[in-house]
Amino acid sequence: MNVRTELEHELRGPLSTLDLLSDQEAADLLMLFRGARQRETDALSESIDMVVGSLPRPLRGPAKRIMFGDRRH
């Protein structure tokens, strides 16, 4: 996959404005987008851990399963 294809995949579809970007700009945008998504995921995971961690110990496991099922955050 090339950078533009990867960027379209990350953005969930082709956008005509991507044609205005140079290859380097597209690569930079892809890197920024992936970094932002990772930071968002990390922050959300940290927030969930703080909320669940504030519950009494016997309720932590069941609360996570109720909120997320078997999915790991």
Side-chain angles (χ1 to χ4, degrees):
M1 249 194 272
N2 67 32
V3 173
R4 290 181 187 282
T5 305
E6 289 182 47
L7 186 55
E8 286 178 355
H9 177 73
E10 288 288 335
L11 297 174
R12 305 215 188 325
L15 299 172
S16 59
T17 55
L18 294 180
D19 295 336
L20 301 174
L21 300 176
S22 69
D23 288 342
Q24 184 59 50
E25 289 170 332
D28 291 346
L29 184 57
L30 178 61
M31 182 182 68
L32 289 170
F33 187 79
R34 286 180 175 167
R37 179 171 281 168
Q38 184 60 51
R39 285 187 298 280
E40 179 183 39
T41 300
D42 293 345
L44 180 60
S45 180
E46 185 178 324
S47 295
I48 290 168
D49 288 342
M50 287 175 55
V51 168
V52 173
S54 68
L55 295 172
R57 188 170 296 275
L59 298 178
R60 292 177 190 171
K64 275 189 174 181
R65 283 190 295 280
I66 289 168
M67 290 189 293
F68 306 106
D70 292 331
R71 192 179 96 193
R72 301 270 183 213
H73 62 276

